[in-house]
Amino acid sequence: MESYLKENFGGVKAKHSSDEALGRWRKVVGVVKNPTRRFRFTANLGKRSEAAAMKRSNQEKLRVAVLVSKAALQFIHGLPPEGEYTTPANVEAAGFGICAEELTSVVESHDLKRLNSHGGVEGLVTKLSTSASDGLPASEEKLESRQEVFGINRFAETETRSFWVFVWEALQDMTLMILAACALVSLVVGVATEGWPRGAHDGLGIVASILLVVFVTATSDYRQSLQFKDLDKEKKKITVQVTRSGYRQKLSIYDLLAGDIVHLSIGDQVPADGLFVSGFSLLINESSLTGESEPVAVNAENPFLLSGTKVQDGSCKMLVTTVGMRTQWGKLMATLSEGGDDETPLQVKLNGVATIIGKIGLIFAVVTFAVLTQGLFWRKISDGSYFSWTGDDALELLEFFAIAVTIVVVAVPEGLPLAVTLSLAFAMKKMMNDKALVRHLAACETMGSATSICSDKTGTLTTNHMTVVKACICGKIKDVNSSTETKTLPSDLPDSVVTMLLQSIFNNTGGDVVLNQDGKREILGTPTETAILELGLSLGGDFQAVRKASALVKVEPFNSAKKRMEVVIQLPGGALRAHCKGASEIILASCSKYLDEHGNVTPLDGATEDHLKATIDSFANEALRTLCLAYIDVGEGFSANDQIPMDGYTCIGIVGIKDPVRPGVKESVAICRSAGITVRMVTGDNINTAKAIARECGILTEGGLAIEGPDFRARSEEELHELIPKIQVMARSSPLDKHTLVKHLRTTFDEVVAVTGDGTNDAPALHEADIGLAMGIAGTEVAKESADVIILDDNFSTIVTVAKWGRSVYINIQKFVQFQLTVNVVALIVNFSSACLIGSAPLTAVQLLWVNMIMDTLGALALATQPPNNELMKRAPVGRKGNFISNIMWRNILGQALYQFLVIWYLQAGGKWLFAIKGDKSDLVLNTIIFNCFVFCQVFNEVSSREMERIDVFEGILDNNVFIAVLGSTVIFQFIIVQFLGDFANTTPLTFMQWITCIFIGFIGMPIAVAVKMIPVDSK
């Protein structure tokens, strides 16, 4: 079976499956009872192709727009003005000078000429009644009128489907329709021959069973859809920095309005269409909208920003012009959302299993019907009444047909692929409570197979709460751990050095110091920027005063490739100065001078350089992050288009930033090791800092290798093949190093790799990895969009929780498959063999429908929603090549099926003697006992299936309320069917001893299961 599944259903991957692979398995699938339900959680390939066509259209539109705008630039000053734009009356009455349609047209078509006709960006700021510095006024009334004129920033979404839609979809099951037709015929013939109500019992029994199956199925599916809806809302929670009423604040992108001033930086997603107001070095990646991978420079000459694009480099202030469904991104998102998520490999594989069993079941059903019908014909021939057919004969033939159809109902495990989505929906909901947001379904099951985790250091293994605790300035090492020590530091330094230090800290930063709405000072920015700014403020610096004393000429934001940030400022006298900060050894290598203890600029000699390098190492060995600050005066001829100098700098000082290890990380790393998962630290930090943190976390062990990115890059393929298994720490790594490491682990060593990332440059590695894990707090929108799971608290321990849930999902589905296949095998063989050998089936259509519900919807609810336990992290990972239906599962299935088959056959052959059954109703009593024993065999088998290898199946059983509820309701309803619904279910009430015996026979399956588990088999 496994080879058939791999050949026909193995082309779908956890990530980036081609449309061809997604389409191929659909063609192979056969014997589908209910296509609407079976393929509900699969990608809509038609809608996907529509979205792709829209992207191509956008690409062509933008290409034409850019060409037109370039041509317009050449002629714009020489052309006479066009007819003036007239503002619609309702827009003017609301206090605005431009309508939404005109704004959309200007930005979408990149029409510089029309933009200039409105007075450029400044003119639109005025027409939108906003301020480039203070943003929108916060008056509720004005915001509402703005919404009415320009719309809201929300996209069209598919409506939530009601419960009755799911009922209707459950009714689309072909076999249930056939059974309903049988029930109708049975009802008509029965009432005509036996009268009402006796003649209606069989037909009404089937109708009641169908309705029960439909409503239980619809309830389960509806609950799943609500869970996915809740998770979808969580995925779309994106906030941006906005200025309103003069205050910087975080705002949901869905609350943005035309006229808002948005602050964008590297890794942000542009939340609406807009125009560039001010900024530096802005590069926009428009591939999500147009498919074009080449970044576009956005500036005053090309100020157009489109919703859904990503900031690849630089930063800016943006004026929001167009929101929601008026943007091209809004229209594209509406189409993409209808395309749905890719189906997961397990879903596809279980569709394959359902297809195989369905085909076998179909053959069994046809043969069973043929054998039963032949028996009826032979009896008629032997009686000599083959020309005389009564209503009873017609009902008997109809019963045979209903049994055959019900065998197909039982045999086609329609619930198998849906059990995956049930388990995933349950796991995803629980993982949200554990601070992990799953963006792609397949990530849940893939994480259970992970063999390697490549983790960032900062914010993942550490707390990301940074403070400067040491500084080396003017060659002297100072502790600045307390506010007292920091306040006395300026008195120990020359005034010129303090001035230069504050100028560097406050100008060369991606952060900001603002007053919030409560009038309190607030530091905005990354934890590193916040720590440095906090130091500057503690030294007595005035952020706004220092910033106003000079003008920014050029900004090169920090990124993980160059590991430095640089700015050029114009001083009050007109002179230009560049400040840079970044990785200590890299910045120090760019320095040729330093500030000595008297504040003089002195050439950097060998002894001083060695002292500074030793300082960096001593800080790093104390697990401190080190940053070097430096400056250089540049010539007057420098312009914003020139390259900022890379060397010749003067070293101002080195700071050591403490970022403590998160509580529980060491224990989590130990859990990973016991689970067979290798944890590697990949960081941009100094190697000594990385090694110190890695030892503290338990990542760097005896015999493990710590390597720097440049050294890793210089190695040959042969050397990498030998080195990579030993690497536990990679320091000073670039995003390309991380990508290379992940690629080698996946391809050369066949590992299933999970990777954490937070920056824009981590996107390639997150994309390449089997599971990309983005940080929810420190992560950029680009990183989050490339990721499969978002770690909402940025904590490594949460990653271990995700791995535990991933294993739980995988094993839960294996348990359910094992349980369902056992019922399939027994029900098929019992009914088929009985029909062939005895000429009648012991289980009627109504009884088989009840059994089908126990093993399908109720079985999935009970077994596919088991919470994880700590034992899961004590076994080896499945890895990339593990068989889903393992030898352990086959052993358990065959052992349990053999016991149940023998029991039912013995009861058929000697049940009357065993239970001392006599009288006219002896056959009915025996069949009821067989039915009862069969159901209780499934009840106890469900309990045994909670563990596939362990003997103790009761551990934690009371913690799973769903399992207890399913088991309890199955037993109660079985009692009601047998004792009170005999006319409809072809049963008769049983005595107390008969009940005890049936339960005991079912219970014997549990020690049988224990004995079977003792049989050693290859675990693969």
Side-chain angles (χ1 to χ4, degrees):
M1 183 184 280
E2 201 67 38
S3 59
Y4 172 82
L5 292 175
K6 281 178 181 173
E7 183 183 341
N8 293 287
F9 297 88
V12 175
K13 300 172 188 172
K15 291 171 76 171
H16 320 309
S17 292
S18 66
D19 283 354
E20 189 268 330
L22 293 174
R24 189 169 62 244
W25 75 265
R26 287 165 168 76
K27 294 172 187 172
V28 183
V29 169
V31 198
V32 180
K33 297 188 294 182
N34 190 343
T36 308
R37 186 167 180 255
R38 174 83 76 91
F39 300 118
R40 180 185 297 135
F41 295 106
T42 56
N44 186 329
L45 300 181
K47 287 293 179 185
R48 291 266 179 98
S49 62
E50 275 183 41
M54 192 178 284
K55 270 192 179 183
R56 289 193 295 272
S57 168
N58 286 341
Q59 190 172 346
E60 186 57 27
K61 276 184 194 172
L62 284 177
R63 190 181 68 80
V64 171
V66 169
L67 288 172
V68 169
S69 64
K70 281 179 181 174
L73 273 171
Q74 297 171 22
F75 300 106
I76 198 162
H77 300 296
L79 291 174
E82 284 185 4
E84 283 196 8
Y85 165 75
T86 307
T87 310
N90 65 317
V91 175
E92 202 164 351
F96 305 110
I98 191 168
C99 67
E101 289 73 20
E102 177 71 3
L103 280 170
T104 303
S105 178
V106 169
V107 176
E108 208 172 273
S109 60
H110 287 46
D111 195 332
L112 274 170
K113 188 179 173 191
R114 277 168 77 184
L115 175 62
N116 287 338
S117 73
H118 288 288
V121 176
E122 295 81 7
L124 286 184
V125 167
T126 306
K127 289 187 175 187
L128 283 168
S129 302
T130 184
S131 162
S133 56
D134 293 343
L136 293 178
S139 159
E140 282 292 327
E141 189 182 329
K142 288 182 179 176
L143 292 178
E144 282 177 16
S145 72
R146 193 174 291 273
Q147 273 188 19
E148 287 172 18
V149 174
F150 299 103
I152 57 172
N153 200 33
R154 291 186 180 273
F155 310 132
E157 295 180 5
T158 50
E159 289 183 18
T160 305
R161 295 192 295 179
S162 72
F163 172 72
W164 297 107
V165 172
F166 289 95
V167 170
W168 175 250
E169 285 187 359
L171 282 166
Q172 305 304 304
D173 190 314
M174 184 56 69
T175 51
L176 292 184
M177 289 182 192
I178 295 169
L179 282 176
C182 290
L184 182 64
V185 174
S186 174
L187 205 60
V188 172
V189 176
V191 171
T193 55
E194 297 182 47
W196 178 270
R198 182 168 178 74
H201 288 159
D202 288 349
L204 290 178
I206 296 174
V207 169
S209 302
I210 290 169
L211 289 176
L212 185 63
V213 168
V214 164
F215 276 94
V216 171
T217 302
T219 303
S220 173
D221 291 350
Y222 180 60
R223 282 175 55 80
Q224 273 185 62
S225 77
L226 292 181
Q227 285 179 320
F228 281 125
K229 197 78 178 172
D230 291 344
L231 290 163
D232 206 40
K233 282 179 188 171
E234 289 293 331
K235 287 182 199 175
K236 292 174 181 173
K237 282 185 179 175
I238 303 171
T239 57
V240 286
Q241 289 276 348
V242 177
T243 296
R244 276 193 182 175
S245 298
Y247 296 107
R248 279 272 288 270
Q249 54 192 280
K250 279 190 173 180
L251 203 67
S252 166
I253 62 167
Y254 302 111
D255 294 331
L256 287 181
L257 297 170
D260 262 320
I261 299 297
V262 177
H263 301 260
L264 297 174
S265 56
I266 293 180
D268 285 342
Q269 177 173 305
V270 179
D273 285 0
L275 293 165
F276 176 92
V277 176
S278 62
F280 297 95
S281 312
L282 189 65
L283 284 178
I284 298 291
N285 185 328
E286 296 182 341
S287 59
S288 56
L289 190 63
T290 67
E292 191 62 59
S293 58
E294 195 65 33
V296 176
V298 175
N299 44 43
E301 285 75 39
N302 176 35
F304 305 104
L305 289 155
L306 296 176
S307 176
T309 57
K310 312 290 188 305
V311 180
Q312 187 163 312
D313 205 356
S315 59
C316 78
K317 278 204 305 187
M318 174 187 107
L319 169 70
V320 174
T321 58
T322 315
V323 292
M325 289 304 294
R326 294 182 191 275
T327 67
Q328 279 299 318
W329 181 247
K331 294 163 193 168
L332 181 62
M333 284 302 291
T335 309
L336 277 174
S337 65
E338 291 175 22
D341 272 346
D342 282 358
E343 47 270 30
T344 74
L346 262 186
Q347 277 177 299
V348 174
K349 198 170 273 191
L350 290 179
N351 266 295
V353 173
T355 298
I356 294 168
I357 298 169
K359 287 176 180 176
I360 294 168
L362 193 59
I363 294 165
F364 271 61
V366 170
V367 174
T368 303
F369 179 66
V371 169
L372 289 172
T373 307
Q374 182 199 33
L376 175 62
F377 273 95
W378 276 116
R379 195 169 70 246
K380 298 287 287 179
I381 290 168
S382 61
D383 291 348
S385 58
Y386 50 89
F387 287 121
S388 172
W389 287 81
T390 64
D392 286 343
D393 294 332
L395 282 174
E396 195 174 352
L397 195 61
L398 192 65
E399 175 68 14
F400 294 161
F401 182 68
I403 288 169
V405 173
T406 314
I407 285 175
V408 176
V409 173
V410 175
V412 179
E414 200 82 340
L416 275 183
L418 296 164
V420 180
T421 50
L422 176 68
S423 188
L424 290 173
F426 173 78
M428 287 163 74
K429 191 77 174 172
K430 293 290 183 184
M431 284 161 75
M432 265 299 298
N433 300 334
D434 291 336
K435 304 296 180 188
L437 171 61
V438 179
R439 294 187 72 250
H440 300 131
L441 276 177
C444 269
E445 51 188 67
T446 312
M447 195 65 198
S449 310
T451 58
S452 181
I453 297 174
C454 297
S455 174
D456 278 346
K457 175 183 74 68
T458 306
T460 307
L461 299 169
T462 59
T463 59
N464 218 13
H465 296 148
M466 300 193 193
T467 46
V468 178
V469 294
K470 282 196 171 184
C472 177
I473 303 168
C474 298
K476 295 178 183 176
I477 297 174
K478 303 279 185 182
D479 280 322
V480 288
N481 207 5
S482 68
S483 58
T484 309
E485 291 168 331
T486 310
K487 282 174 183 172
T488 58
L489 184 61
S491 60
D492 298 338
L493 298 172
D495 290 344
S496 61
V497 174
V498 174
T499 303
M500 187 64 74
L501 180 62
L502 292 175
Q503 190 182 83
S504 178
I505 288 172
F506 290 147
N507 282 297
N508 188 20
T509 179
D512 202 354
V513 180
V514 297
L515 289 176
N516 62 23
Q517 287 167 303
D518 300 327
K520 293 179 181 176
R521 189 175 67 192
E522 188 177 349
I523 302 175
L524 303 173
T526 65
T528 307
E529 295 285 13
T530 303
I532 301 282
L533 288 172
E534 191 69 64
L535 172 67
L537 295 169
S538 301
L539 290 171
D542 183 332
F543 179 82
Q544 299 299 342
V546 173
R547 289 293 285 257
K548 284 174 183 172
S550 56
L552 283 174
V553 175
K554 182 167 184 171
V555 178
E556 287 287 350
F558 181 88
N559 70 46
S560 51
K562 58 188 182 187
K563 303 199 185 310
R564 60 199 287 161
M565 177 181 180
E566 300 141 319
V567 298
V568 177
I569 58 172
Q570 187 172 35
L571 301 171
L576 297 172
R577 178 173 292 157
H579 282 280
C580 80
K581 72 175 179 200
S584 297
E585 60 270 35
I586 293 173
I587 302 300
L588 188 59
S590 299
C591 294
S592 57
K593 298 181 276 293
Y594 76 104
L595 295 176
D596 66 13
E597 58 189 4
H598 304 294
N600 299 320
V601 177
T602 308
L604 188 62
D605 57 24
T608 307
E609 188 173 357
D610 289 344
H611 168 66
L612 291 173
K613 284 181 178 175
T615 301
I616 292 168
D617 287 342
S618 74
F619 284 7
N621 288 331
E622 292 177 47
L624 302 180
R625 297 190 75 195
T626 63
L627 286 179
C628 183
L629 286 74
Y631 77 96
I632 186 173
D633 290 318
V634 296
E636 289 181 9
F638 182 88
S639 75
N641 296 322
D642 294 339
Q643 182 72 37
I644 298 175
M646 295 298 287
D647 47 32
Y649 282 85
T650 300
C651 178
I652 302 169
I654 294 161
V655 294
I657 302 172
K658 187 168 183 61
D659 184 12
V661 171
R662 283 184 182 273
V665 164
K666 190 169 185 177
E667 293 79 1
S668 297
V669 170
I671 289 169
C672 284
R673 190 165 282 119
S674 69
I677 302 171
T678 306
V679 180
R680 294 176 172 86
M681 178 198 287
V682 184
T683 178
D685 247 342
N686 178 291
I687 191 162
N688 292 321
T689 307
K691 282 159 75 173
I693 296 283
R695 285 195 188 96
E696 196 177 337
C697 296
I699 291 172
L700 187 59
T701 58
E702 203 67 42
L705 179 67
I707 193 170
E708 288 188 305
D711 185 13
F712 178 78
R713 287 194 290 278
R715 301 297 181 121
S716 67
E717 288 291 323
E718 291 76 19
E719 288 174 314
L720 286 178
H721 195 273
E722 194 177 322
L723 275 178
I724 284 174
K726 300 174 190 172
I727 292 175
Q728 291 178 338
V729 175
M730 190 191 288
R732 289 294 180 230
S733 68
S734 71
L736 187 61
D737 296 331
K738 188 188 272 192
H739 183 268
T740 304
L741 176 64
V742 171
K743 194 170 183 180
H744 272 83
L745 285 169
R746 288 187 70 239
T747 54
T748 311
F749 299 96
D750 225 15
E751 300 244 18
V752 177
V753 186
V755 170
T756 70
D758 53 15
T760 306
N761 291 318
D762 287 326
L766 291 170
H767 192 268
E768 174 68 29
D770 294 288
I771 312 103
L773 304 159
M775 300 298 108
I777 299 168
T780 62
E781 285 308 318
V782 170
K784 290 175 188 175
E785 192 154 298
S786 298
D788 306 293
V789 180
I790 297 172
I791 306 300
L792 298 174
D793 60 355
D794 291 15
N795 193 339
F796 183 82
S797 300
T798 306
I799 297 171
V800 178
T801 305
V802 173
K804 193 192 290 185
W805 270 108
R807 290 188 174 196
S808 176
V809 165
Y810 193 87
I811 287 169
N812 282 350
I813 295 166
Q814 281 187 314
K815 292 172 186 175
F816 172 62
V817 170
Q818 175 185 299
F819 170 70
Q820 190 168 45
L821 290 185
T822 305
V823 187
N824 277 134
V825 169
V826 178
L828 273 178
I829 294 175
V830 164
N831 264 23
F832 174 72
S833 57
S834 296
C836 292
L837 299 174
I838 301 172
S840 65
L843 301 175
T844 65
V846 172
Q847 291 167 0
L848 280 171
L849 280 172
W850 170 233
V851 168
N852 177 65
M853 199 166 74
I854 292 172
M855 74 169 190
D856 198 324
T857 309
L858 295 180
L861 275 172
L863 293 170
T865 58
Q866 289 276 357
N869 56 56
N870 292 329
E871 290 297 316
L872 290 172
M873 298 304 281
K874 292 178 183 174
R875 59 177 76 182
V878 176
R880 200 176 292 283
K881 292 185 176 176
N883 289 338
F884 177 70
I885 303 181
S886 63
N887 291 337
I888 290 168
M889 291 170 68
W890 281 123
R891 175 197 67 190
N892 296 345
I893 290 166
L894 296 175
Q896 193 64 223
L898 181 63
Y899 164 70
Q900 291 184 21
F901 180 66
L902 291 175
V903 161
I904 290 169
W905 257 107
Y906 176 75
L907 288 174
Q908 278 191 299
K912 290 182 182 179
W913 170 81
L914 181 66
F915 286 92
I917 305 168
K918 294 175 183 174
D920 296 338
K921 288 191 173 182
S922 59
D923 286 340
L924 181 59
V925 173
L926 180 60
N927 282 345
T928 303
I929 288 171
I930 291 171
F931 168 54
N932 212 26
C933 287
F934 183 67
V935 168
F936 276 100
C937 279
Q938 308 325 316
V939 168
F940 287 104
N941 184 30
E942 204 160 3
V943 177
S944 297
S945 295
R946 291 188 75 243
E947 292 291 342
M948 292 192 295
E949 294 179 78
R950 289 174 64 206
I951 304 301
D952 183 5
V953 294
F954 292 105
E955 186 182 334
I957 193 169
L958 296 177
D959 298 332
N960 189 349
N961 296 331
V962 176
F963 188 89
I964 296 297
V966 167
L967 221 60
S969 59
T970 303
V971 171
I972 291 166
F973 208 77
Q974 177 65 15
F975 179 79
I976 293 168
I977 287 173
V978 170
Q979 295 298 110
F980 305 109
L981 300 178
D983 289 339
F984 299 99
N986 295 103
T987 59
T988 188
L990 300 179
T991 65
F992 178 75
M993 280 310 297
Q994 287 169 341
W995 270 101
I996 294 296
T997 309
C998 289
I999 294 169
F1000 179 73
I1001 288 170
F1003 172 75
I1004 292 294
M1006 292 191 70
I1008 296 286
V1010 170
V1012 168
K1013 286 175 186 176
M1014 300 287 193
I1015 301 169
V1017 293
D1018 181 14
S1019 60
K1020 289 182 181 177

